[in-house]
Amino acid sequence: MNGLEIVFAKTPSQERALEQLIAAQQDPKSPEYHKWLTPAAYGARFGASPATVAAVTQWLQGNGFTVDALPANRSQLRFHAAKAQLEAAFHVEIHLFDFGGVRHFSNVSDPEMPAALAPMIAAIHGLNDFYPRPALKSRPAHGVGAQPQITYDGGKTNYVGPGDFAVMYNLTPLYNARVDGAGVKIAVAEQSDIDQNVANTYWSGIGVASPPAVTSLPVPGGTDPGQTHDTNETEAYLDVEVAGALAPGASILLVRDQSAVNAFQYIIQQNLAPVLSISFTDCESDLGSLNTTIEKLFQEAAAQGMTVAVGSNDSGVAGCETNVGTQGTLATTGFAVNGLASTPYNLAVGGTDFDPTQPQDWGATNAAGTLANALAHIPEMVWNATCANPRYATALKTTPSAFCNQTTFNGQPNPFLEIEGSGGGVSSCLAVDATTKACTGGYPVPPWQSGVAGMANLTGRAIPDVAAIANEWVICSYDNNPCDPSTNSVDIVGGTSASTPAVAAIIALLDQQMGGSQGLVNPLLYQLAAAEYGTPAAPKASGANCSASLGTTIGADCVFYNVTAGSNAAPCTVASFSDTSSAPASTCNAQTGQPNGIMELSSAPQYAAGSGFSLASGLGSINATNLVLAIFLPPPSGLSATVAGQSVRLSWNAETHAASYDIYQASQSGQEGSAPVQSAVSGTSTTVSGLQPAQTYYFTIAAQAALGTSAQSGEVRATTVPAAPTGLTAAAGNASATLSWTAASGATGYNIYQGTSAGGEGATPVQSGVSGVTATVSSLTNGTTYFFTVAAIDAGGASAPSNEAQATPAPPSHGGGGLGVLELALLALLVACGFRPAPAPSARSPLCRWRPSGAPLPGLP
């Protein structure tokens, strides 16, 4: 038996430390920011201890098993044994089963280990050969209304290709700036090999000038499936061709094994690529203990700086259904999500389709070379190829319930009686109770998955995170001989298998532009979404400008296209429906007497698209150029304003990739517009001059680089000061000075400054808030020259000083309480006569005669 493996458990302290590290690696303020680990460094910090490895190895060898060398990450230990050895050592029975006409083997009970070893082991793999399913369906096109892109038969048949994806999601500016994934490797985990000549022919047929380099390798020690000539091989072609077409400068690494889990485990263990695309599915309850292994693998990938993109599933809300796209087969099981996509350490990718109820901007013919005929963004809805799609019902002027009980469509069996649509929902069933069959556990809401409008009341990790066009893609596969996209010698496929490598390609373009891998990008994506959509408590009305239903009028600055139309509800069969081993509880709701219904939660339709985040489409689809710009060239931070008269000095923090900055100005908040008042400003400060006095202005800035212009920064407010007063004069008085000046425009008051030397008035006013245009300054010293200036004030502060005026206070020549000439002479006489405050007769001068009080002195009037 192949693929046997022990997965080591981490200690609680290791778990805490790893969580803290991954959070710090995405925090720009942390010294650990983007410091990725190698597999060896990961193993040293978070792998099994030497004692644990020795104990488990000794037990395995003691039971006759051959044990492989410990990998660098110290997280798994592969061993080899025959069926009889396994059954004896682990106390299990392994039987053969017929499952849907295919023979499988599996253990019929849980394996047992010595009690001393049990805490060291998280899972045991290889006891069955149930492998994940490719999330893909090959079929002729069908739909309500025109299906877009590559057009055949004179426009009668239309499909989707990479050229249209590039137009719709704004990849063209990136290509024009030579951002095409050069230097980045995209790994795809597959359960089949491909003929690379077919992929090269496909790329040539849709205008890729130089075919991407493709390397295909089997997992060492695994089971090489070769070319399987089935859905697994078509999946491999789809992943390679879409990723290579949208990131033509990247190199593609195909790692193959009979089990896709073994394939992506090897990619992660060896840290083979910064971007990993996985287009396989298995619901949480079916994965069982494998859920833990997958979570820990993706956790390791995040710590190593890998971005893991995983398709959200093609079963709509019924994630455990396996008969996807089988006409006449409806859901019989309840709500569930893809366990490969629901971990907190991967980017879950959902699917969209083109909304038949909206006008679509398509060209009449294919563009030369690329075969594209999309002319702009095409209005999107949630991908849901079933009768439960409310947009189909609207287009057909019926209801989903009625449509799901309509046996024919256009004279043929109703092709919409099937399970097929973008997976989505909340993690809730990581294990199933052996007795009650009830779901237990689910990944909790990650710290970064909150704060975006539409996300209220989440009970666990919600998927998808983002979405992209998933329906009616044109590819070439093993059955196209020869492959020729221009002549309809192609396969038509659909599913999140297409949207996932497409999003992985966008991440590769981002990695190239940033000069390194981005790891778990989810925290940053949700931060950008909150800026665009607002928070649950304060949604932004401006987010409506980014609705994916707008088509050609969609906002030019949107990072995400908010998919608000449709749902991923699934049709169900009333008689056979059961929600056992699924969560939350659901019903198959139908009108009385109708055999078919719609899966519902608490008797109400669920999982509909809506403003902001939704369980149907996550944050929406992506404007690739704006996403790369938002991360590579974020809005400048730290903008501040200092008023200097009728000028404003702006300062901000430098942005790493900015070549220059543009300045925007408005007289009302939020109205800065798109026309800068200053362009190509170098440095991190500038002065905006020539403003009106006593006016309030608002400013933002944007960074410029070769790739484009960033979003505008946060806004600052500045109120200019009034004009300086003019015509200041000063009139001296007795210990005072009276000032007069001409009124200043916009002034609400005036400050008065004084000093005893020219220009020495100082910064502290002697009077402030003076109304009118005159003032008297008192308590001055007579005979001292004073200098004065006046400044006008308003809410913005004080103006420049007025002209300087001077005055020398002096006593009046008479009156006014001062001593005149006669008074001074009399005072001198009294002093000469020995006048004292208290009379002293003994001190009288003979020249003076004291008289009784009130008697006149002789000779004096």
Side-chain angles (χ1 to χ4, degrees):
M1 295 183 65
N2 294 319
L4 298 170
E5 188 174 66
I6 295 287
V7 179
F8 292 114
K10 291 181 174 61
T11 66
S13 61
Q14 285 179 318
E15 290 284 4
R16 289 191 297 271
L18 182 53
E19 288 284 354
Q20 292 168 357
L21 173 65
I22 292 173
Q25 287 174 324
Q26 294 297 336
D27 181 0
K29 298 178 181 179
S30 170
E32 300 292 339
Y33 180 64
H34 281 196
K35 290 185 177 179
W36 313 122
L37 300 182
T38 64
Y42 180 90
R45 294 177 63 176
F46 306 112
S49 68
T52 293
V53 174
V56 174
T57 300
Q58 183 178 6
W59 183 83
L60 291 171
Q61 292 175 338
N63 281 277
F65 302 153
T66 301
V67 180
D68 289 351
L70 183 71
N73 70 351
R74 303 182 64 87
S75 297
Q76 302 91 16
L77 191 62
R78 179 163 289 193
F79 62 97
H80 306 272
K83 170 179 175 289
Q85 290 175 292
L86 282 173
E87 291 178 321
F90 290 101
H91 302 158
V92 296
E93 293 184 3
I94 299 175
H95 292 257
L96 292 174
F97 296 88
D98 183 283
F99 187 80
V102 178
R103 193 175 75 164
H104 291 274
F105 68 85
S106 177
N107 53 307
V108 296
S109 61
D110 291 333
E112 297 178 1
M113 292 281 290
L117 299 181
M120 306 176 186
I121 297 172
I124 302 169
H125 294 163
L127 303 184
N128 67 69
D129 67 347
F130 286 95
Y131 305 132
R133 306 179 303 277
L136 157 146
K137 175 64 178 175
S138 299
R139 50 172 165 55
H142 68 264
V144 178
Q147 293 299 319
Q149 209 269 19
I150 298 174
T151 180
Y152 302 116
D153 309 323
K156 297 177 182 177
T157 313
N158 298 277
Y159 302 108
V160 179
D164 297 291
F165 187 97
V167 172
M168 286 184 54
Y169 298 121
N170 199 29
L171 275 71
T172 304
L174 293 172
Y175 298 153
N176 292 340
R178 299 184 179 179
V179 181
D180 61 359
V184 180
K185 184 178 291 184
I186 302 173
V188 293
E190 305 297 347
Q191 293 180 167
S192 174
D193 200 0
I194 64 170
D195 180 347
Q196 295 183 30
N197 292 323
V198 173
N200 289 340
T201 302
Y202 172 80
W203 288 323
S204 177
I206 51 99
V208 177
S210 178
V214 179
T215 301
S216 178
L217 60 92
V219 174
T223 302
D224 186 352
Q227 288 182 246
T228 58
H229 297 292
D230 59 12
T231 304
N232 283 309
E233 185 169 351
T234 301
E235 178 66 65
Y237 280 111
L238 171 61
D239 294 342
V240 168
E241 290 172 358
V242 170
L246 297 177
S251 58
I252 310 297
L253 172 65
L254 185 157
V255 177
R256 62 188 190 271
D257 191 83
Q258 196 170 25
S259 168
V261 175
N262 291 340
F264 64 68
Q265 175 177 279
Y266 180 72
I267 293 168
I268 294 169
Q269 283 182 344
Q270 301 300 315
N271 198 16
L272 296 180
V275 183
L276 169 58
S277 180
I278 301 172
S279 295
F280 289 83
T281 180
D282 212 341
C283 69
E284 289 180 335
S285 60
D286 287 347
L287 285 170
S289 64
L290 198 56
N291 283 302
T292 299
T293 302
I294 292 165
E295 179 197 17
K296 300 311 176 188
L297 278 172
F298 292 170
Q299 194 178 40
E300 179 181 347
Q304 293 175 172
M306 300 174 67
T307 303
V308 181
V310 186
S312 66
N313 203 343
D314 290 358
S315 305
V317 296
C320 287
E321 295 290 346
T322 59
N323 293 320
V324 176
T326 303
Q327 187 176 339
T329 301
L330 306 186
T332 58
T333 59
F335 290 125
V337 295
N338 178 11
L340 302 182
S342 65
T343 85
Y345 306 104
N346 64 270
L347 179 65
V349 183
T352 69
D353 200 353
F354 301 101
D355 190 343
T357 69
Q358 301 297 318
Q360 301 181 6
D361 196 10
W362 299 99
T365 59
N366 301 328
T370 67
L371 302 182
N373 68 328
L375 302 179
H377 178 260
I378 309 298
E380 296 174 86
M381 64 178 179
V382 179
W383 173 52
N384 186 342
T386 78
C387 56
N389 185 343
R391 305 306 285 180
Y392 284 173
T394 298
L396 296 172
K397 297 180 172 56
T398 184
T399 66
S401 179
F403 194 24
C404 286
N405 286 280
Q406 181 178 323
T407 57
T408 61
F409 181 77
N410 291 335
Q412 300 294 324
N414 187 350
F416 300 97
L417 295 178
E418 62 180 1
I419 305 163
E420 188 168 292
S422 178
V426 177
S427 173
S428 58
C429 198
L430 297 178
V432 177
D433 186 273
T435 302
T436 65
K437 305 301 181 184
C439 288
T440 59
Y443 296 116
V445 180
W448 42 262
Q449 194 171 47
S450 61
V452 178
M455 300 192 72
N457 302 319
L458 288 181
T459 58
R461 161 70 162 128
I463 63 171
D465 296 305
V466 294
I469 185 66
N471 201 19
E472 315 294 9
W473 276 78
V474 169
I475 68 163
C476 286
S477 188
Y478 64 91
D479 55 351
N480 305 126
N481 190 17
C483 161
D484 188 353
S486 67
T487 63
N488 205 6
S489 179
V490 293
D491 276 5
I492 308 301
V493 298
T496 56
S497 284
S499 56
T500 301
V503 169
I506 292 176
I507 299 299
L509 303 184
L510 172 63
D511 282 359
Q512 178 197 347
Q513 187 64 23
M514 293 299 291
S517 60
Q518 301 306 296
L520 182 66
V521 299
N522 302 33
L524 186 52
L525 296 183
Y526 280 84
Q527 178 183 336
L528 293 172
E532 184 169 306
Y533 299 146
T535 66
K540 288 187 176 180
S542 58
N545 186 50
C546 297
S547 170
S549 296
L550 293 177
T552 57
T553 62
I554 200 165
D557 297 329
C558 303
V559 172
F560 299 101
Y561 294 152
N562 193 185
V563 181
T564 59
S567 80
N568 57 0
C572 50
T573 303
V574 175
S576 55
F577 185 81
S578 170
D579 68 351
T580 301
S581 299
S582 66
S586 59
T587 59
C588 183
N589 191 35
Q591 300 294 322
T592 302
Q594 290 182 337
N596 300 329
I598 310 294
M599 284 179 59
E600 294 182 351
L601 176 67
S602 301
S603 299
Q606 299 292 312
Y607 296 29
S611 297
F613 178 89
S614 75
L615 293 174
S617 58
L619 300 173
S621 55
I622 298 171
N623 181 314
T625 294
N626 287 351
L627 175 67
V628 173
L629 264 176
I631 298 174
F632 174 77
L633 197 65
S637 62
L639 180 62
S640 63
T642 303
V643 175
Q646 282 72 62
S647 298
V648 174
R649 182 72 172 173
L650 299 174
S651 301
W652 56 89
N653 299 328
E655 288 299 334
T656 303
H657 300 113
S660 63
Y661 302 88
D662 289 348
I663 314 300
Y664 302 85
Q665 170 187 316
S667 57
Q668 293 183 348
S669 178
Q671 301 298 313
E672 286 82 5
S674 58
V677 294
Q678 291 184 19
S679 299
V681 175
S682 60
T684 57
S685 64
T686 189
T687 298
V688 181
S689 304
L691 303 175
Q692 294 299 310
Q695 296 291 319
T696 298
Y697 292 89
Y698 299 86
F699 299 93
T700 59
I701 61 172
Q704 283 278 1
L707 183 61
T709 305
S710 76
Q712 293 183 25
S713 69
E715 185 180 70
V716 293
R717 170 181 172 176
T719 301
T720 57
V721 299
T726 60
L728 177 64
T729 61
N734 181 22
S736 65
T738 299
L739 308 179
S740 299
W741 58 89
T742 301
S745 173
T748 59
Y750 299 90
N751 290 344
I752 297 173
Y753 304 86
Q754 80 178 40
T756 56
S757 62
E761 288 80 7
T764 303
V766 294
Q767 293 185 27
S768 58
V770 175
S771 60
V773 292
T774 61
T776 297
V777 182
S778 303
S779 301
L780 304 179
T781 302
N782 287 331
T784 299
T785 299
Y786 291 88
F787 297 85
F788 301 94
T789 58
V790 177
I793 59 172
D794 70 352
S799 73
S802 67
N803 61 292
E804 189 176 61
Q806 68 182 63
T808 304
S813 58
H814 58 81
L819 298 178
V821 175
L822 180 60
E823 290 85 350
L824 290 172
L826 178 58
L827 179 60
L829 176 61
L830 292 173
V831 171
C833 291
F835 174 79
R836 299 289 186 272
S842 61
R844 292 176 186 164
S845 169
L847 297 176
C848 299
R849 304 286 186 188
W850 284 107
R851 302 296 292 173
S853 177
L857 292 174
L860 291 176

